[in-house]
Amino acid sequence: MLEKLSEALKKTTDKIANALFLDKNLVDTLVKDLQRALLEADVNVKVVLEITKKIKQTALDERIAGIEKKEHLIKLLHDELRALLGEKRTLALQEKNVWIVLGLYGQGKTTTLGKLASYYGKRGKKVCTLSLDVHRPAAALQLKQLSDKLKIPCFILPEEKNPSKIYKHFQEQLKAFDLVLIDTAGRDALSEELITELKTVVKLTKPTETFLVMAADVGQTAKKQAQAFKETAQITGVIITKMDSTAKAGGALTACAEVKAPILFIGTGEKPADLETFDPDTFLSRLLGMGDLASLMEKIHSVIDKDTIEAQQKRLQEGKFTLRDLQTQLESMESMGSMDKIMSMIPGLGKAKIPQEALDAQQAKVKRWKHAINSMTPKEIENPECIETEAGRIGRIAKGSGTTNAEIKALLKQYNMLKDMLKSQSSLEGKPLDQKTMMKFAKKFGKKMKL
Ligand SMILES: Nc1nc2c(ncn2[C@@H]2O[C@H](COP(=O)(O)OP(=O)(O)O)[C@@H](O)[C@H]2O)c(=O)[nH]1
Ligand SMILES: [Mg+2]
């Protein structure tokens, strides 16, 4: 059920959560992937463009930065998708219930009635079915067979062509049930004849709920259908069937929301048990592969700790960059996963094909650097210059951390390089580091990382 869309949405939120910097290239890719996925699921083109435009605007808005931007983006994506799925309506049973299903041929009316009978029968309701589908004698028999299998009483008069007569014939007996499920005839299209028939049937049976049954594969035409049926009868809810057999269910789902026809159930297979109540919040959580918005937000924070980032940014803005900062940088890199993932996040390096051995080597190097920094004294960490100028320090650190003198020297070289780069950046710009500068910095950092 919408697996491809779900995959794409999960990937998009992952990319946002993992991105070091949301630069234009990354945003463009994100937006393109999102557009493709939504369009493939048959969501209306105009709607898709509107959503992706908003996402792009937020992503490239320089007034919001860092982790806040990610939160903004994830929340925006979540809220926009949620709005597409429409209002939530919870179905409440009354003491006596008469439910009728309307819809065109082959949409799944009869099958769905069986599903509803099974669902509420199992929950202790006294349920029966009644066929007012007078256009094909086989239709009544189909409902009878289905009901028999489920041990649900079923009322039919297969030879009778007038639905009103059938209803009146059983009217008294129906009173014994908590829930009467009424099947009706469809047509290939919503004709005058069908409209008149449905109006008569609805007037006579006085349903407490009137459901429109539509197959998910009708796609965007769901909007027109739902609208037309709404005008014929007071549709109280929509049941979308065959969710299992199309990748384009996004069309029907969003089209119903557009005409404010709340979806109450979805059919996910041919068997009586293949019916699910539709809750737009739960449905979206499933699509995004996350419990709720809060857990999505968590995803961002688990990648990078906000306080660390802020503290580091502040230090950088003040022109301070010690080995401790390098260590934090290295640690946050490690906690984000393997080096190739990190590389793919650094703008400009994403597409470079880096051999696996080189990546492994780089990762091992970073690990050893971290050991080395752990073996340093606070003085050495805050003023790394003293390591080079005061004899004996390099040897001591190397020995203490199980590294070599050459490795310590390489680490210091990397540190000096980054520090110089930062210095030149700050003096060049003459202002505190903003996100743009950080991005440039990341680019250079990536390029100069010796692989
Ligand atoms: N895969 C799948 N098939 C369904 C679903 N609901 C109905 N069908 C099939 O769709 C066809 C038409 O269903 P039916 O209930 O006879 O449609 P009706 O003409 O509206 O009464 C049948 O072959 C059903 O088995 C569903 O949720 N998933
Ligand atoms: Mg039928």
Side-chain angles (χ1 to χ4, degrees):
M1 198 168 67
L2 287 174
E3 284 89 1
K4 265 178 97 176
L5 176 61
S6 181
E7 272 314 304
L9 290 175
K10 281 181 216 164
K11 249 188 221 157
T12 302
T13 54
D14 274 345
K15 272 189 196 162
I16 296 174
N18 292 334
L20 273 180
F21 301 100
L22 283 158
D23 72 332
K24 196 173 171 304
N25 280 346
L26 181 64
V27 173
D28 282 345
T29 327
L30 280 178
V31 163
K32 258 193 208 125
D33 289 349
L34 198 60
Q35 282 176 345
R36 190 182 307 123
L38 289 168
L39 290 174
E40 271 180 12
D42 198 27
V43 177
N44 183 287
V45 182
K46 224 179 96 200
V47 174
V48 173
L49 290 179
E50 269 166 30
I51 293 184
T52 48
K53 194 174 146 201
K54 277 189 207 168
I55 289 180
K56 212 166 168 169
Q57 271 170 357
T58 307
L60 299 176
D61 185 344
E62 298 207 358
R63 286 167 306 176
I64 340 165
I67 207 131
E68 247 168 66
K69 173 162 286 177
K70 293 182 182 194
E71 281 179 346
H72 258 76
L73 274 180
I74 298 266
K75 186 161 172 1
L76 184 68
L77 179 63
H78 177 278
D79 292 351
E80 291 292 327
L81 293 172
R82 176 62 192 80
L84 278 190
L85 293 174
E87 292 294 317
K88 172 178 174 162
R89 194 196 147 209
T90 316
L91 195 58
L93 258 70
Q94 297 158 25
E95 212 176 302
K96 289 287 173 190
N97 304 273
V98 177
W99 293 357
I100 194 163
V101 289
L102 314 179
L104 301 179
Y105 269 149
Q107 298 296 302
K109 291 182 294 302
T110 309
T111 312
T112 302
L113 271 196
K115 291 175 179 180
L116 289 171
S118 163
Y119 185 93
Y120 287 98
K122 274 187 196 147
R123 281 159 183 77
K125 299 286 167 208
K126 249 187 114 186
V127 187
C128 73
T129 56
L130 166 72
S131 178
L132 298 184
D133 183 348
V134 292
H135 286 270
R136 295 177 300 138
L141 296 173
Q142 184 194 347
L143 184 66
K144 179 85 171 81
Q145 270 176 7
L146 196 58
S147 306
D148 285 352
K149 255 194 215 159
L150 298 166
K151 301 194 169 55
I152 297 282
C154 175
F155 301 101
I156 57 167
L157 290 179
E159 304 307 321
E160 179 56 62
K161 291 286 166 215
N162 183 339
S164 302
K165 281 192 183 162
I166 303 176
Y167 181 72
K168 283 177 186 152
H169 184 88
F170 293 116
Q171 202 166 8
E172 273 310 302
Q173 294 178 61
L174 297 176
K175 287 184 180 152
F177 295 90
D178 304 331
L179 175 60
V180 179
L181 298 169
I182 305 176
D183 200 6
T184 65
R187 298 288 191 285
D188 287 326
L190 196 73
S191 59
E192 274 307 316
E193 187 195 14
L194 179 61
I195 292 175
T196 315
E197 182 179 314
L198 293 181
K199 279 187 171 161
T200 312
V201 165
V202 167
K203 206 171 157 201
L204 188 69
T205 57
K206 296 186 187 62
T208 52
E209 295 286 346
T210 308
F211 300 142
L212 170 63
V213 177
M214 269 192 302
D217 54 21
V218 302
Q220 311 265 330
T221 49
K223 188 173 159 184
K224 231 173 92 192
Q225 254 192 62
Q227 193 72 56
F229 273 93
K230 257 179 100 171
E231 281 158 19
T232 301
Q234 285 272 314
I235 300 292
T236 57
V238 181
I239 301 176
I240 308 275
T241 64
K242 308 190 193 180
M243 286 288 291
D244 54 307
S245 55
T246 174
K248 298 193 169 289
L253 289 179
T254 54
C256 286
E258 247 185 290
V259 289
K260 301 207 162 36
I263 300 160
L264 295 177
F265 294 97
I266 49 177
T268 54
E270 295 187 67
K271 290 193 287 303
D274 299 330
L275 183 76
E276 293 177 20
T277 51
F278 182 80
D279 172 349
D281 294 305
T282 317
F283 190 82
L284 180 59
S285 301
R286 245 165 63 187
L287 266 187
L288 292 172
M290 279 284 155
D292 49 23
L293 186 59
S295 41
L296 267 178
M297 292 298 186
E298 189 121 344
K299 190 159 151 180
I300 301 171
H301 290 281
S302 65
V303 177
I304 310 164
D305 164 359
K306 190 178 174 179
D307 294 341
T308 312
I309 290 228
E310 277 176 359
Q312 200 175 6
Q313 269 177 353
K314 195 160 168 281
R315 294 174 63 84
L316 292 179
Q317 278 172 5
E318 288 164 358
K320 282 185 200 145
F321 185 75
T322 68
L323 274 171
R324 174 117 33 230
D325 297 311
L326 180 61
Q327 190 182 27
T328 317
Q329 195 95 30
L330 298 177
E331 263 163 16
S332 70
M333 279 182 153
E334 253 192 357
S335 71
M336 271 187 287
S338 60
M339 276 308 275
D340 59 339
K341 203 163 148 207
I342 295 158
M343 289 301 165
S344 72
M345 286 185 275
I346 297 176
L349 269 185
K351 283 179 206 86
K353 268 270 159 258
I354 304 156
Q356 190 57 45
E357 306 91 82
L359 286 173
D360 291 345
Q362 179 69 20
Q363 221 162 353
K365 189 157 92 181
V366 165
K367 209 175 221 161
R368 291 172 70 81
W369 282 354
K370 270 179 60 195
H371 288 316
I373 298 174
N374 285 335
S375 291
M376 291 177 192
T377 65
K379 182 185 164 186
E380 287 163 348
I381 288 175
E382 295 298 323
N383 305 293
E385 291 73 25
C386 75
I387 304 174
E388 283 169 302
T389 51
E390 293 171 27
R393 286 190 187 270
I394 291 183
R396 196 206 81 243
I397 298 166
K399 217 171 158 195
S401 59
T403 54
T404 63
N405 286 13
E407 278 175 300
I408 304 298
K409 281 179 191 156
L411 166 63
L412 290 172
K413 203 170 157 197
Q414 185 85 36
Y415 161 77
N416 283 326
M417 187 198 82
L418 285 172
K419 196 177 171 186
D420 285 351
M421 205 146 72
L422 269 174
K423 224 189 248 161
S424 69
Q425 285 291 354
S426 325
S427 58
L428 209 69
E429 315 271 329
K431 59 178 186 217
L433 278 167
D434 55 13
Q435 208 195 355
K436 232 181 187 164
T437 319
M438 285 292 280
M439 255 161 60
K440 273 194 231 157
F441 168 64
K443 253 183 219 175
K444 282 195 191 169
F445 181 64
K447 268 184 201 145
K448 288 203 185 171
M449 274 250 238
K450 292 210 182 68
L451 290 166

